[in-house]
Amino acid sequence: MNQPESNHPPETETRPWWRRIPLTLQIVIALVLAVILGIALGAGNPNPSNAALINNLAIPAELVLKALRALATPLILVAVLHTFMTTNIPGTAGRRLAVLLLTNTTVAIIIGLLVANILRPGTWGDLAKPQKTITGQSLDPWGLVKDAVPEAILKPLVDNNVIQLIVIALCFGIVLRGLKSEQIAQGKNSYQPVEDAIAVLFEAVIRILNWVIALVPFAVFGIVAKTVAERGFAPFQSLAAFIIAVLVALVLQAAYYLSRVKIGSWVNPVKFLAGGTDAFLTAFSTSSSTVAMPITFEVLQTKIGLRESSASLGALVGANFNNDGTALYEAMSALYISQVIGQHLNLGQQLIVVLTSIFASVGAAGIPNAGLVTMTLVFTSVNLPTEYIALLVTVDWFLDRCRTAINVMGDMTVSALLDGKKPHL
Ligand code: ASP
């Protein structure tokens, strides 16, 4: 999702020195310090007298996760409303765009789930002692449909139910958009205040989210120190397996994009990759597809040679709904944690993961760590314990960069496909 126009003060010199250290570096420092503390506290053989201290180390991660869970629903709601109120999607192209977005995201999630089912990264190491094995309910498509409509409008916000929430957000988004268009056709726009209010709310949620994200290094410090102190380094083998599995899936998704570009557009995939380098690198280095957006738009036209209309539909409009890398990551994380704790997810539950990941990725803002926020909703939908997301926080700073580059590549693929088989002159 797009970030609202913000009037941030310019990067001020008055920030305290520690806030001027890039977040990634803060996390790396936190990791190093945590390992030192973890070793000092026993590295797998903790002294019982330190038990209380070790337990308390989990508090920052618990707080960060609680805050992320609380912010996830308002973020999705205002982000979807904001996009509907502020973007212009022409009719037929809009339908093509919707089909392309849905296909690409579904393929991403299927690739993610296939890789996670085949490699089974959750079984490689010893991240957590398996609890009891819980097998899920069987597939109930009718139940899914019945559950899509909430009993009360505010209930999805309270229950953190992502499917119901998106249903509400889409209904209001479509209606507000329609009302605004009717007014504009009559030469007035009394919906401007509503649009402004939504933009302000969106900005407010993102700013609060930034506070929470600023605390992530403390969460990483606490959870890593606790894990090393209690269980040594074995759990990190499992996280390394997860990183490898996600990277394999992202590479497969990139290969899928390139073959779609080759088959469905006039663009040469090699030129597509080379021309898009600036956009991919910006996405990777900032972890934000929104920050990369103007560069993506630019390279699509100047380096790859697409028409402005296709570049803008894919990279400016589609980008708001299209986060394939995020969708893939959320689905894989759910499956990974289910493997780690021995809570088998059957086909029906994996289908719920597919659906909620699609919705969660639509609602994920194009900012760093947004996928982590909406992931809480995917976990809740299949009763996975969200505490385990705290462990994923330790690797998210790296995987976020990789999935953001794929998010941007997805937007560029959509633009190329919209541009069709004939280059413009
Ligand atoms: N950082 C990603 C993006 O900007 C969103 C995510 O966290 O998955 O596209």
Side-chain angles (χ1 to χ4, degrees), residues 245-327:
V246 172
L247 293 182
V248 168
L250 290 176
V251 168
L252 289 176
Q253 179 69 10
Y256 161 77
Y257 287 145
L258 293 178
S259 47
R260 290 248 21 205
V261 167
K262 173 138 183 59
I263 297 166
S265 80
W266 62 267
V267 182
N268 175 332
V270 178
K271 194 175 164 204
F272 179 85
L273 264 188
T277 317
D278 287 349
F280 304 141
L281 285 180
T282 314
F284 185 83
S285 54
T286 60
S287 302
S288 167
S289 44
T290 300
V291 171
M293 200 183 260
I295 296 168
T296 314
F297 182 53
E298 174 74 17
V299 296
L300 280 172
Q301 294 173 83
T302 55
K303 301 220 167 135
I304 302 180
L306 300 189
R307 293 167 182 85
E308 192 196 319
S309 55
S310 337
S312 104
L313 256 187
L316 303 183
V317 179
N320 293 306
F321 303 99
N322 192 32
N323 290 310
D324 299 342
T326 306

XYZ file of all heavy atoms in Angstrom, residues 245-327:
606
model
N 15.082 -21.741 2.613
C 13.827 -22.113 1.945
C 13.154 -20.871 1.345
O 12.666 -20.905 0.209
C 12.900 -22.803 2.941
N 13.137 -19.760 2.108
C 12.490 -18.544 1.586
C 13.245 -18.040 0.352
O 12.636 -17.662 -0.656
C 12.409 -17.439 2.665
C 11.915 -16.131 2.072
C 11.487 -17.864 3.799
N 14.585 -18.079 0.410
C 15.357 -17.599 -0.739
C 15.090 -18.466 -1.971
O 14.919 -17.948 -3.076
C 16.859 -17.569 -0.406
C 17.260 -16.526 0.654
C 18.766 -16.545 0.886
C 16.822 -15.116 0.250
N 15.022 -19.789 -1.770
C 14.727 -20.678 -2.904
C 13.375 -20.283 -3.508
O 13.225 -20.130 -4.728
C 14.702 -22.163 -2.445
C 14.124 -23.061 -3.522
C 16.105 -22.622 -2.065
N 12.383 -20.090 -2.650
C 11.041 -19.767 -3.152
C 11.035 -18.418 -3.878
O 10.398 -18.270 -4.926
C 10.048 -19.763 -1.991
N 11.758 -17.432 -3.336
C 11.778 -16.109 -3.984
C 12.457 -16.194 -5.358
O 12.023 -15.558 -6.317
C 12.491 -15.077 -3.102
C 11.740 -14.665 -1.825
C 12.584 -13.709 -0.987
C 10.387 -14.002 -2.126
N 13.522 -17.015 -5.441
C 14.196 -17.172 -6.740
C 13.235 -17.835 -7.742
O 13.134 -17.427 -8.906
C 15.495 -17.999 -6.575
C 16.045 -18.428 -7.920
C 16.533 -17.189 -5.816
N 12.480 -18.839 -7.276
C 11.517 -19.487 -8.176
C 10.460 -18.477 -8.636
O 10.043 -18.461 -9.795
C 10.822 -20.658 -7.472
C 11.714 -21.882 -7.219
C 10.963 -22.939 -6.423
C 12.166 -22.479 -8.555
N 10.036 -17.615 -7.717
C 9.034 -16.608 -8.086
C 9.620 -15.657 -9.135
O 8.940 -15.289 -10.098
C 8.592 -15.836 -6.823
C 7.565 -14.741 -7.055
C 6.176 -15.276 -7.446
O 5.928 -16.485 -7.361
N 5.295 -14.406 -7.886
N 10.904 -15.287 -8.972
C 11.546 -14.412 -9.955
C 11.592 -15.115 -11.319
O 11.332 -14.498 -12.365
C 12.951 -14.042 -9.494
N 11.875 -16.422 -11.303
C 11.925 -17.174 -12.559
C 10.536 -17.184 -13.211
O 10.399 -17.048 -14.432
C 12.398 -18.593 -12.300
N 9.513 -17.321 -12.377
C 8.133 -17.279 -12.905
C 7.857 -15.926 -13.576
O 7.319 -15.858 -14.683
C 7.151 -17.558 -11.761
C 5.729 -17.108 -12.030
C 4.883 -17.860 -12.865
C 5.232 -15.928 -11.475
C 3.591 -17.428 -13.124
C 3.945 -15.502 -11.727
C 3.126 -16.253 -12.550
O 1.848 -15.819 -12.821
N 8.277 -14.834 -12.898
C 8.063 -13.503 -13.493
C 8.736 -13.397 -14.856
O 8.152 -12.907 -15.815
C 8.650 -12.403 -12.604
C 7.891 -12.121 -11.336
C 8.566 -11.754 -10.175
C 6.502 -12.184 -11.296
C 7.887 -11.474 -9.004
C 5.816 -11.913 -10.126
C 6.519 -11.569 -8.988
O 5.842 -11.286 -7.835
N 10.012 -13.856 -14.896
C 10.763 -13.703 -16.145
C 10.105 -14.506 -17.270
O 10.022 -14.045 -18.408
C 12.224 -14.130 -15.948
C 13.020 -13.210 -15.012
C 14.436 -13.713 -14.832
C 13.043 -11.774 -15.550
N 9.591 -15.703 -16.932
C 8.955 -16.470 -18.006
C 7.637 -15.813 -18.429
O 7.298 -15.821 -19.605
C 8.779 -17.943 -17.622
O 8.236 -18.024 -16.358
N 6.928 -15.212 -17.469
C 5.692 -14.498 -17.864
C 6.018 -13.323 -18.765
O 5.329 -13.048 -19.737
C 4.956 -13.966 -16.621
C 4.359 -15.019 -15.805
C 2.876 -15.121 -15.724
N 2.008 -14.553 -16.697
C 0.763 -14.196 -16.457
N 0.265 -14.316 -15.280
N -0.004 -13.724 -17.400
N 7.093 -12.594 -18.415
C 7.484 -11.441 -19.230
C 7.837 -11.926 -20.636
O 7.433 -11.333 -21.640
C 8.687 -10.709 -18.583
C 9.312 -9.719 -19.539
C 8.238 -10.002 -17.315
N 8.541 -13.055 -20.708
C 8.970 -13.568 -22.016
C 7.756 -13.980 -22.852
O 7.643 -13.630 -24.030
C 9.912 -14.770 -21.812
C 10.288 -15.501 -23.070
C 11.760 -15.851 -23.051
C 12.240 -16.532 -24.328
N 12.057 -15.792 -25.528
N 6.830 -14.693 -22.207
C 5.693 -15.228 -22.973
C 4.631 -14.138 -23.237
O 4.069 -14.061 -24.316
C 5.053 -16.419 -22.214
C 6.072 -17.549 -22.090
C 3.792 -16.909 -22.907
C 5.693 -18.617 -21.099
N 4.392 -13.280 -22.244
C 3.227 -12.392 -22.344
C 3.512 -10.959 -22.768
O 2.587 -10.148 -22.806
N 4.775 -10.608 -23.029
C 5.025 -9.216 -23.419
C 6.137 -9.153 -24.462
O 6.786 -10.154 -24.748
C 5.440 -8.397 -22.201
O 6.805 -8.622 -21.914
N 6.347 -7.964 -24.993
C 7.406 -7.806 -25.999
C 8.776 -7.658 -25.363
O 9.797 -7.708 -26.039
C 7.116 -6.570 -26.873
C 7.108 -5.273 -26.082
C 6.034 -4.668 -25.527
C 8.244 -4.454 -25.770
N 6.407 -3.525 -24.863
C 7.761 -3.363 -25.008
C 9.614 -4.519 -26.039
C 8.589 -2.370 -24.513
C 10.438 -3.520 -25.555
C 9.926 -2.463 -24.804
N 8.803 -7.519 -24.028
C 10.065 -7.179 -23.362
C 10.983 -8.407 -23.259
O 10.530 -9.508 -22.920
C 9.782 -6.633 -21.943
C 11.079 -6.239 -21.250
C 8.836 -5.463 -22.000
N 12.262 -8.196 -23.541
C 13.246 -9.256 -23.385
C 13.580 -9.394 -21.886
O 13.948 -8.420 -21.240
C 14.491 -8.842 -24.199
C 15.636 -9.807 -24.011
O 15.771 -10.458 -22.979
N 16.481 -9.891 -25.026
N 13.440 -10.622 -21.330
C 13.653 -10.784 -19.883
C 15.026 -10.302 -19.406
O 15.149 -9.792 -18.291
C 13.513 -12.286 -19.662
C 12.770 -12.790 -20.830
C 13.026 -11.879 -21.977
N 16.053 -10.453 -20.247
C 17.388 -10.011 -19.820
C 17.406 -8.485 -19.696
O 17.905 -7.918 -18.715
C 18.475 -10.491 -20.819
C 19.843 -9.980 -20.405
C 18.457 -12.004 -20.926
N 16.758 -7.828 -20.664
C 16.684 -6.371 -20.624
C 15.843 -5.931 -19.409
O 16.123 -4.929 -18.753
C 16.038 -5.875 -21.924
C 16.210 -4.401 -22.129
C 15.664 -3.964 -23.476
C 15.511 -2.462 -23.462
N 14.537 -1.963 -24.404
N 14.828 -6.724 -19.130
C 13.943 -6.450 -17.994
C 14.746 -6.485 -16.686
O 14.657 -5.572 -15.858
C 12.845 -7.520 -17.989
C 11.848 -7.424 -16.870
C 10.745 -6.600 -16.968
C 12.005 -8.191 -15.719
C 9.809 -6.533 -15.944
C 11.077 -8.123 -14.690
C 9.981 -7.294 -14.810
N 15.577 -7.522 -16.557
C 16.387 -7.652 -15.339
C 17.423 -6.538 -15.243
O 17.565 -5.887 -14.201
C 17.136 -8.985 -15.363
C 16.528 -10.165 -14.631
C 17.511 -11.322 -14.619
C 16.151 -9.786 -13.196
N 18.135 -6.320 -16.378
C 19.198 -5.318 -16.354
C 18.604 -3.927 -16.143
O 19.087 -3.146 -15.311
C 19.985 -5.374 -17.657
N 17.517 -3.621 -16.852
C 16.895 -2.288 -16.748
C 16.314 -2.034 -15.363
O 16.220 -0.899 -14.911
N 15.911 -3.115 -14.698
C 15.256 -2.931 -13.396
C 16.231 -2.876 -12.232
O 15.808 -2.677 -11.076
N 17.535 -3.010 -12.511
C 18.503 -3.125 -11.407
C 18.363 -2.014 -10.368
O 18.358 -2.289 -9.163
C 19.950 -3.102 -11.965
O 19.972 -3.917 -13.105
C 20.937 -3.606 -10.949
N 18.222 -0.763 -10.849
C 18.138 0.351 -9.886
C 16.954 0.169 -8.938
O 17.050 0.416 -7.739
C 17.953 1.682 -10.623
C 19.235 2.104 -11.303
O 20.276 1.479 -11.010
O 19.190 3.039 -12.130
N 15.823 -0.264 -9.506
C 14.623 -0.438 -8.675
C 14.834 -1.582 -7.677
O 14.507 -1.452 -6.488
C 13.422 -0.721 -9.565
N 15.412 -2.697 -8.153
C 15.619 -3.838 -7.238
C 16.565 -3.446 -6.105
O 16.335 -3.781 -4.942
C 16.230 -5.052 -7.968
C 15.437 -5.513 -9.158
C 16.070 -5.937 -10.319
C 14.053 -5.528 -9.124
C 15.343 -6.353 -11.427
C 13.312 -5.937 -10.224
C 13.967 -6.348 -11.377
N 17.644 -2.737 -6.482
C 18.631 -2.374 -5.454
C 18.044 -1.385 -4.450
O 18.308 -1.471 -3.250
C 19.885 -1.779 -6.103
C 20.795 -2.808 -6.790
C 22.006 -2.126 -7.401
C 21.239 -3.885 -5.789
N 17.234 -0.447 -4.957
C 16.600 0.494 -4.013
C 15.686 -0.269 -3.068
O 15.680 -0.032 -1.855
C 15.780 1.563 -4.764
O 16.562 2.058 -5.827
C 15.351 2.682 -3.855
N 14.912 -1.199 -3.639
C 13.997 -1.979 -2.792
C 14.801 -2.765 -1.757
O 14.465 -2.781 -0.571
C 13.175 -2.924 -3.657
N 15.877 -3.387 -2.208
C 16.672 -4.209 -1.291
C 17.304 -3.345 -0.205
O 17.299 -3.694 0.967
C 17.757 -4.966 -2.068
C 18.522 -5.926 -1.207
C 18.035 -7.193 -0.944
C 19.732 -5.551 -0.630
C 18.731 -8.079 -0.132
C 20.435 -6.426 0.184
C 19.933 -7.697 0.430
N 17.821 -2.173 -0.604
C 18.549 -1.402 0.401
C 17.625 -0.630 1.336
O 18.025 -0.314 2.444
C 19.572 -0.477 -0.255
O 18.931 0.308 -1.210
N 16.389 -0.347 0.923
C 15.502 0.414 1.819
C 14.436 -0.456 2.479
O 13.744 0.000 3.384
C 14.752 1.517 1.054
O 13.968 0.891 0.031
C 15.699 2.513 0.424
N 14.268 -1.699 2.033
C 13.174 -2.576 2.501
C 11.821 -1.925 2.303
O 10.893 -2.187 3.077
C 13.285 -2.913 3.988
O 14.466 -3.515 4.280
N 11.691 -1.070 1.311
C 10.393 -0.416 1.139
C 10.043 -0.270 -0.337
O 10.721 0.447 -1.076
C 10.412 0.962 1.808
O 9.286 1.697 1.393
N 8.967 -0.955 -0.746
C 8.568 -0.831 -2.149
C 7.988 0.547 -2.418
O 7.996 1.022 -3.550
C 7.605 -1.946 -2.543
O 6.639 -2.135 -1.574
N 7.469 1.210 -1.360
C 6.947 2.567 -1.553
C 8.083 3.545 -1.860
O 7.956 4.392 -2.737
C 6.175 3.032 -0.297
O 5.112 2.117 -0.099
C 5.622 4.423 -0.454
N 9.187 3.399 -1.141
C 10.325 4.277 -1.413
C 10.863 4.003 -2.822
O 11.254 4.922 -3.554
C 11.441 4.064 -0.358
C 12.713 4.793 -0.749
C 10.972 4.538 1.008
N 10.844 2.730 -3.223
C 11.374 2.383 -4.555
C 10.419 2.787 -5.678
O 10.817 2.839 -6.841
C 11.640 0.884 -4.623
N 9.162 3.082 -5.326
C 8.118 3.286 -6.338
C 8.480 4.287 -7.450
O 8.374 3.958 -8.642
C 6.840 3.716 -5.627
C 5.595 3.504 -6.417
S 4.212 4.136 -5.455
C 3.568 2.648 -4.771
N 8.952 5.500 -7.113
C 9.266 6.440 -8.202
C 10.380 5.909 -9.114
O 10.330 6.128 -10.329
C 9.749 7.693 -7.465
C 9.515 7.474 -6.032
C 9.162 6.054 -5.788
N 11.323 5.182 -8.512
C 12.428 4.662 -9.330
C 11.917 3.536 -10.233
O 12.262 3.445 -11.415
C 13.578 4.189 -8.423
C 14.098 5.414 -7.679
C 14.684 3.509 -9.207
C 15.009 5.147 -6.565
N 11.043 2.707 -9.677
C 10.448 1.632 -10.481
C 9.729 2.225 -11.693
O 9.897 1.776 -12.825
C 9.430 0.835 -9.623
O 10.014 0.564 -8.355
C 9.027 -0.443 -10.273
N 8.931 3.249 -11.427
C 8.151 3.916 -12.477
C 9.081 4.469 -13.555
O 8.859 4.295 -14.753
C 7.351 5.034 -11.805
C 6.449 5.792 -12.726
C 5.522 5.136 -13.531
C 6.507 7.174 -12.782
C 4.682 5.838 -14.380
C 5.676 7.894 -13.617
C 4.765 7.224 -14.415
N 10.161 5.065 -13.095
C 11.136 5.691 -13.989
C 11.848 4.644 -14.864
O 11.883 4.763 -16.094
C 12.142 6.427 -13.083
C 13.338 7.042 -13.752
C 12.963 8.292 -14.515
O 11.881 8.824 -14.252
O 13.750 8.675 -15.399
N 12.388 3.586 -14.236
C 13.170 2.620 -15.037
C 12.273 1.867 -16.022
O 12.718 1.493 -17.103
C 13.966 1.606 -14.165
C 15.021 2.289 -13.341
C 13.061 0.752 -13.317
N 11.014 1.669 -15.642
C 10.107 0.970 -16.561
C 9.997 1.731 -17.875
O 9.928 1.137 -18.954
C 8.719 0.822 -15.929
C 8.569 -0.307 -14.916
C 7.227 -0.233 -14.228
C 8.731 -1.671 -15.590
N 10.000 3.060 -17.781
C 9.854 3.858 -19.006
C 11.192 4.098 -19.685
O 11.344 3.876 -20.881
C 9.246 5.216 -18.667
C 7.828 5.110 -18.153
C 7.360 6.464 -17.686
O 6.925 7.280 -18.486
N 7.466 6.715 -16.408
N 12.187 4.543 -18.902
C 13.422 4.979 -19.542
C 14.359 3.823 -19.880
O 14.984 3.814 -20.920
C 14.179 5.984 -18.660
O 14.381 5.372 -17.396
C 13.420 7.269 -18.484
N 14.440 2.820 -19.012
C 15.412 1.763 -19.286
C 14.790 0.562 -19.990
O 15.449 -0.135 -20.738
C 16.072 1.305 -17.987
C 16.787 2.439 -17.274
C 18.096 1.987 -16.692
C 18.932 3.159 -16.267
N 19.538 3.001 -14.964
N 13.510 0.303 -19.693
C 12.895 -0.880 -20.316
C 12.060 -0.465 -21.538
O 11.908 -1.237 -22.483
C 12.077 -1.670 -19.272
C 13.018 -2.077 -18.133
C 11.416 -2.900 -19.875
C 12.417 -2.851 -17.016
N 11.542 0.753 -21.495
C 10.846 1.268 -22.678
C 9.353 0.998 -22.716
O 8.748 0.927 -23.793
N 8.723 0.858 -21.546
C 7.270 0.628 -21.539
C 6.520 1.947 -21.740
O 7.060 3.031 -21.501
C 6.829 0.027 -20.201
C 7.408 -1.307 -19.765
C 6.659 -1.813 -18.537
C 7.311 -2.337 -20.883
N 5.256 1.828 -22.126
C 4.405 3.019 -22.247
C 4.152 3.581 -20.840
O 4.083 2.805 -19.879
C 3.053 2.649 -22.861
C 3.140 2.196 -24.288
C 1.826 1.540 -24.734
N 1.924 1.056 -26.090
C 2.428 -0.134 -26.431
N 2.859 -0.969 -25.509
N 2.490 -0.504 -27.687
N 3.933 4.872 -20.761
C 3.734 5.480 -19.444
C 2.496 4.895 -18.759
O 2.492 4.636 -17.555
C 3.594 7.000 -19.568
C 3.694 7.656 -18.207
C 3.188 9.081 -18.187
O 3.461 9.825 -19.140
O 2.500 9.433 -17.202
N 1.421 4.648 -19.572
C 0.185 4.153 -18.955
C 0.419 2.784 -18.289
O -0.055 2.547 -17.167
C -0.918 4.059 -20.004
O -0.468 3.255 -21.070
N 1.161 1.887 -18.957
C 1.383 0.551 -18.346
C 2.286 0.678 -17.127
O 2.063 0.021 -16.108
C 2.029 -0.431 -19.317
O 1.820 -0.085 -20.635
N 3.322 1.536 -17.251
C 4.239 1.699 -16.113
C 3.472 2.225 -14.911
O 3.644 1.752 -13.784
C 5.369 2.645 -16.488
N 2.566 3.181 -15.160
C 1.886 3.778 -14.006
C 0.855 2.804 -13.418
O 0.716 2.701 -12.206
C 1.283 5.132 -14.399
O -0.078 5.025 -14.571
N 0.163 2.043 -14.280
C -0.831 1.097 -13.732
C -0.162 0.009 -12.883
O -0.650 -0.341 -11.808
C -1.575 0.422 -14.878
C -2.984 0.909 -15.144
C -3.659 0.030 -16.179
C -3.823 0.939 -13.881
N 0.949 -0.525 -13.370
C 1.606 -1.607 -12.624
C 2.367 -1.094 -11.425
O 2.215 -1.594 -10.315
N 3.194 -0.052 -11.648
C 4.131 0.349 -10.594
C 3.551 1.367 -9.623
O 4.033 1.479 -8.500
C 5.403 0.903 -11.212
N 2.537 2.111 -10.035
C 1.982 3.099 -9.099
C 0.645 2.639 -8.521
O 0.410 2.755 -7.323
C 1.800 4.459 -9.782
C 3.068 5.066 -10.409
C 2.782 6.438 -10.993
C 4.201 5.160 -9.404
N -0.231 2.089 -9.392
C -1.544 1.662 -8.884
C -1.459 0.237 -8.336
O -1.770 -0.021 -7.170
C -2.606 1.756 -10.004
C -3.948 1.291 -9.481
C -2.696 3.171 -10.536
N -1.002 -0.702 -9.195
C -0.951 -2.111 -8.797
C -0.110 -2.322 -7.559
O -0.438 -3.138 -6.696
N 0.983 -1.546 -7.459
C 1.904 -1.710 -6.332
C 1.183 -1.597 -4.991
O 1.605 -2.190 -4.003
C 3.009 -0.664 -6.425
N 0.083 -0.866 -4.979
C -0.647 -0.711 -3.722
C -1.299 -1.997 -3.248
O -1.584 -2.168 -2.075
C -1.731 0.357 -3.877
C -1.121 1.715 -4.080
O -0.312 2.138 -3.275
N -1.462 2.369 -5.163
N -1.603 -2.881 -4.216
C -2.297 -4.119 -3.835
C -1.382 -5.329 -3.955
O -1.733 -6.426 -3.557
C -3.487 -4.371 -4.764
C -4.472 -3.256 -4.796
C -4.458 -2.330 -5.825
C -5.423 -3.126 -3.790
C -5.366 -1.301 -5.857
C -6.331 -2.095 -3.818
C -6.309 -1.175 -4.846
N -0.230 -5.123 -4.610
C 0.552 -6.253 -5.071
C 1.814 -6.429 -4.245
O 2.751 -5.659 -4.387
C 0.929 -5.970 -6.537
C 1.481 -7.183 -7.224
O 1.082 -8.297 -6.905
N 2.397 -6.981 -8.141
N 1.830 -7.410 -3.391
C 3.028 -7.696 -2.600
C 3.255 -9.194 -2.608
O 3.062 -9.878 -1.602
C 2.843 -7.198 -1.162
C 2.845 -5.688 -1.084
O 3.722 -5.023 -1.615
N 1.827 -5.130 -0.445
N 3.654 -9.712 -3.775
C 3.762 -11.168 -3.916
C 4.824 -11.748 -2.981
O 4.632 -12.820 -2.402
C 4.139 -11.538 -5.359
C 3.092 -11.070 -6.355
O 1.959 -10.782 -5.919
O 3.413 -10.980 -7.546
N 5.950 -11.028 -2.856
C 7.023 -11.517 -1.984
C 6.519 -11.624 -0.557
O 6.816 -12.591 0.164
N 5.722 -10.652 -0.147
C 5.171 -10.652 1.207
C 4.195 -11.817 1.386
O 4.224 -12.525 2.404
C 4.457 -9.314 1.481
O 5.374 -8.261 1.210
C 3.955 -9.218 2.892
N 3.352 -12.029 0.374
C 2.362 -13.115 0.465
C 3.079 -14.459 0.598
O 2.728 -15.288 1.456
C 1.479 -13.102 -0.783
